Amino acid sequence: MQIAAFERHGTEAIGVVVSDGIVDLSPRLPEAATIIEVITRWSEYHSLFASAARGPADFALADVRLLAPVPRPSKILAIGLNYADHVRETGLPMPKAQIWFSKHGNGINAPFGSIEKPPVSDALDYEAELVAIIGKRCRNVPKARAKEVIFGYCVGNDVSVRDWQLRSPQWMIGKSFDSHAPIGPWITTADQFQPEGQSITASVNGELRQRSTLDQLIFDCTDQIAELSQAMTLEPGDLIFTGTPGGVGMGFQPPRYLAVGDVVRVEIEGLGAIENHVVPGSGATMIAW
């Protein structure tokens, strides 16, 4: 099933997507329930959501604003250089081990939210990615059991500020600007999606830039969970950005970075699409009291 966070008339809610509509489950959930709580207590909530998925929609999707399905993950972990064609376009050697960095929660953005172009850089780039959502608290998970801890999947764009990323061997700051982790359009539960063979694409202003399939990952989702969980406890709602194929702006000669007014669309077969406009970011000082 497809679980969405949405807003209607200023009220945020959780629902199940049915065809081109959404069933609002907030009246049947505890007050202030979050999607991470739903994921954590899925054995209790599953029947409620499954029943709703068979029912009529309360609202048309066109009449709601979709929100980031996991607005406050405890961790956003992302793997670099995980498609062979992307490795080749960077000119770097094929990785022998997984290369990990963190994005930070301030980057989380709605599936159709605006991406800010920071005033400090003209090297704004896109990266189409499959995002896996952890469903169970876990540690030291063997590859053979890794699928047990995946709650579901969504579409992501690992937006990157390349000059800030590459001026340091630690990529974190160039990957963590505000608004630079749009995800969605909803969570498709793992029982409804098999990544192998599904297409992944990114286009800019309608021009296809990235195109691959999810079986081209060098290290797949189970490899990634097995690796990460040896180092840290993974929690429900943690996000794993699983890597991007070739065709990023940095890979062109000369590079083709994003500009204000551009529209980036990332789509994964079986999961849907997210689409984000690039807008100018503010350079104004903000100090809140």
Side-chain angles (χ1 to χ4, degrees):
M1 70 191 75
Q2 297 166 325
I3 301 171
F6 67 97
E7 180 184 69
R8 186 171 185 270
H9 300 323
T11 300
E12 295 186 8
I14 297 170
V16 175
V17 177
V18 289
S19 185
D20 58 352
I22 194 162
V23 180
D24 183 3
L25 280 172
S26 293
R28 286 172 271 176
L29 292 171
E31 188 175 356
T34 66
I35 284 187
I36 289 181
E37 180 185 353
V38 168
I39 293 171
T40 303
R41 299 170 57 189
W42 186 238
S43 60
E44 300 173 40
Y45 287 125
H46 177 269
S47 60
L48 171 64
F49 278 74
S51 176
R54 296 189 293 268
D58 294 309
F59 314 116
L61 282 173
D63 294 334
V64 304
R65 184 172 74 91
L66 291 172
L67 306 174
V70 185
R72 286 177 290 277
S74 69
K75 292 186 285 295
I76 307 173
L77 302 162
I79 191 170
L81 302 177
N82 201 32
Y83 284 77
D85 58 353
H86 179 50
V87 177
R88 287 192 293 269
E89 72 182 353
T90 67
L92 295 170
M94 200 67 64
K96 295 180 180 179
Q98 298 178 31
I99 300 170
W100 286 96
F101 58 92
S102 293
K103 293 175 78 73
H104 283 249
N106 55 283
I108 290 292
N109 196 354
F112 299 97
S114 297
I115 295 170
E116 295 181 6
K117 180 185 179 298
V120 295
S121 178
D122 289 319
L124 183 67
D125 210 347
Y126 53 88
E127 293 191 3
E129 305 214 9
L130 171 70
V131 178
I133 299 104
I134 295 297
K136 297 179 180 179
R137 191 169 191 265
C138 60
R139 181 79 194 274
N140 297 318
V141 181
K143 175 179 170 64
R145 297 191 62 188
K147 287 187 177 181
E148 295 178 33
V149 307
I150 300 174
F151 178 77
Y153 302 91
C154 66
V155 181
N157 186 347
D158 176 20
V159 181
S160 305
V161 182
R162 295 299 189 193
D163 49 353
W164 283 63
Q165 175 191 350
L166 299 176
R167 70 186 186 182
S168 164
Q170 302 293 329
W171 296 349
M172 179 272 293
I173 192 167
K175 294 283 192 171
S176 295
F177 278 60
D178 285 358
S179 78
H180 287 188
I183 56 172
W186 38 67
I187 298 170
T188 298
T189 53
D191 60 333
Q192 298 292 313
F193 181 75
Q194 296 299 320
E196 294 78 10
Q198 305 292 346
S199 66
I200 177 170
T201 62
S203 62
V204 179
N205 303 326
E207 176 193 0
L208 185 65
R209 296 276 188 91
Q210 294 183 278
R211 184 172 186 174
S212 189
T213 55
L214 298 178
D215 52 5
Q216 296 302 304
L217 290 165
I218 297 170
F219 302 103
D220 68 15
C221 294
T222 60
D223 295 318
Q224 295 176 37
I225 289 168
E227 177 87 352
L228 289 168
S229 67
Q230 291 181 74
M232 67 192 76
T233 300
L234 300 177
E235 305 282 354
D238 284 354
L239 303 181
I240 300 177
F241 278 69
T242 62
T244 197
V248 299
M250 180 179 66
F252 289 89
Q253 297 297 328
R256 301 178 68 184
Y257 291 128
L258 298 172
V260 171
D262 285 346
V263 180
V264 185
R265 181 180 177 87
V266 177
E267 186 166 2
I268 297 178
E269 183 182 9
L271 295 182
I274 63 175
E275 188 171 287
N276 307 97
H277 287 69
V278 180
V279 300
S282 172
T285 298
M286 186 277 286
I287 301 175
W289 293 95

